Amino acid sequence: MSSSEEDHNSSDEHSSSEEEEEQRNEIREDLKNMSFEEIMKLKEELGAKIYKEAVLGIDSSKKEKPKKETKEFKRLNKNRPREQTAKRQVPFLGAELRTKRKKDDVRDPRFDERAGEYDVKKFKENYKFVSEIREKEVAQLKAALNKTTDEEERREIKKTIQRLINKNVEEKKWHQKQQQLKEEQSDIQKAIAEGRQPHFITKKERRTKELVAQFEELKQKGKLAKHLEKRRKKNAAKDRKRIGFD
């Protein structure tokens, strides 16, 4: 085929494509004057394939690009390991044995039997260091209290300090009580070993001992008078409430 014939064919193709484009433009102009329902009806009558070719100029007859074939790695010998692609990251050793944890597999050890029974003594002994942390926090809060001038912030700091102090006091009382029970148990075992009748302390006697120890501690700190005055006011308020004065 000569060059003149090729030029003639290319010009014919170009002119035909221009004519098709003009026709599509005319169709689009006609569609502008039509309602949406009429357009949808026309699309149903012509079919989606012809509608796209006529209006949008999309040739659905064009074949899609073939998908890239994935290389299948095989073993050259059954005794050799399988060849792996270098594009994929090598998993950590034992990754195939690990299973993904389910979202609903979250458990609270306080209410789970698998975590064992809750032992108060072991818990208190293991976390005894928390009291020391609270003391450090109290010291830091007192330093912050001296620096701040905001009344609202000062109230919050004071409340936090008092809460931490009360928590430490409770912990101290618990440990003192456990020590007292340990001494009582030791006295009972000693009496049995010596052949004497052991004395089992009643709750009333134990309470009396606790009060005596508390008063002795307050007396050493110089807070006994303040404590007695506070206790007197509390008892007086109870008496007034019981009689019906309030």
Side-chain angles (χ1 to χ4, degrees):
M1 186 181 290
S2 62
S3 59
S4 59
E5 290 178 353
E6 290 179 356
D7 294 339
H8 181 69
N9 291 334
S10 61
S11 61
D12 290 342
E13 290 177 358
H14 182 68
S15 60
S16 61
S17 61
E18 288 182 352
E19 290 177 359
E20 290 177 357
E21 186 63 28
E22 289 178 0
Q23 291 176 358
R24 292 194 191 97
N25 291 333
E26 291 177 359
I27 294 172
R28 293 191 187 103
E29 290 295 329
D30 294 338
L31 290 174
K32 288 180 181 179
N33 300 324
M34 296 173 65
S35 64
F36 180 75
E37 293 180 357
E38 292 174 344
I39 293 172
M40 294 303 294
K41 189 176 180 181
L42 177 64
K43 186 176 180 180
E44 290 178 1
E45 291 177 355
L46 296 176
K49 183 178 179 181
I50 299 174
Y51 178 82
K52 288 180 180 179
E53 291 178 359
V55 179
L56 304 177
I58 299 173
D59 189 1
S60 58
S61 62
K62 292 181 180 179
K63 295 182 180 179
E64 296 180 356
K65 293 182 179 180
K67 293 183 179 179
K68 189 177 180 180
E69 295 182 0
T70 56
K71 184 180 178 181
E72 185 179 355
F73 296 94
K74 296 182 179 180
R75 288 184 290 183
L76 299 176
N77 189 300
K78 65 177 182 179
N79 297 323
R80 295 181 183 179
R82 188 184 298 276
E83 183 184 359
Q84 297 292 339
T85 176
K87 295 180 180 179
R88 189 180 303 168
Q89 186 178 2
V90 179
F92 182 73
L93 183 63
E96 66 277 1
L97 301 177
R98 296 198 302 269
T99 56
K100 292 184 178 179
R101 187 174 181 179
K102 297 180 181 178
K103 291 183 179 179
D104 56 348
D105 197 21
V106 180
R107 59 190 181 91
D108 192 336
R110 297 175 299 174
F111 309 107
D112 196 337
E113 294 180 354
R114 291 176 291 179
E117 295 182 0
Y118 174 63
D119 192 336
V120 182
K121 292 182 180 179
K122 287 183 179 179
F123 181 83
K124 295 285 187 182
E125 291 296 330
N126 292 337
Y127 290 93
K128 192 186 291 185
F129 65 91
V130 177
S131 298
E132 298 177 0
I133 296 174
R134 290 197 193 100
E135 290 177 359
K136 293 179 181 179
E137 289 180 354
V138 169
Q140 293 173 357
L141 288 170
K142 285 181 178 179
L145 183 65
N146 295 330
K147 292 180 181 179
T148 185
T149 56
D150 186 12
E151 291 298 327
E152 183 66 25
E153 188 175 355
R154 286 178 65 85
R155 281 196 296 270
E156 291 296 326
I157 292 174
K158 286 180 180 179
K159 284 170 62 178
T160 306
I161 291 173
Q162 191 60 46
R163 185 173 68 250
L164 293 173
I165 291 173
N166 292 342
K167 192 67 178 176
N168 272 1
V169 169
E170 290 177 6
E171 292 289 331
K172 187 177 180 181
K173 285 182 178 179
W174 186 89
H175 286 289
Q176 288 176 349
K177 187 175 181 180
Q178 294 302 313
Q179 183 64 27
Q180 184 181 352
L181 292 173
K182 189 176 180 180
E183 291 175 359
E184 291 175 5
Q185 189 68 24
S186 178
D187 292 340
I188 292 171
Q189 291 177 356
K190 186 177 179 181
I192 294 173
E194 293 176 355
R196 296 184 288 106
Q197 179 67 27
H199 175 65
F200 296 95
I201 299 175
T202 61
K203 290 183 179 180
K204 186 177 181 180
E205 291 174 343
R206 187 177 290 112
R207 178 60 180 164
T208 304
K209 282 187 176 182
E210 290 175 359
L211 289 173
V212 170
Q214 184 181 2
F215 285 150
E216 289 293 332
E217 185 179 359
L218 290 171
K219 189 176 180 180
Q220 290 177 0
K221 294 181 179 180
K223 298 180 180 180
L224 182 59
K226 185 178 179 180
H227 176 75
L228 292 174
E229 180 64 21
K230 186 177 179 181
R231 192 176 183 86
R232 186 189 64 78
K233 289 181 180 179
K234 186 177 180 180
N235 291 334
K238 285 183 179 179
D239 292 339
R240 286 197 301 270
K241 187 175 181 180
R242 186 174 65 253
I243 295 171
F245 285 166
D246 292 347

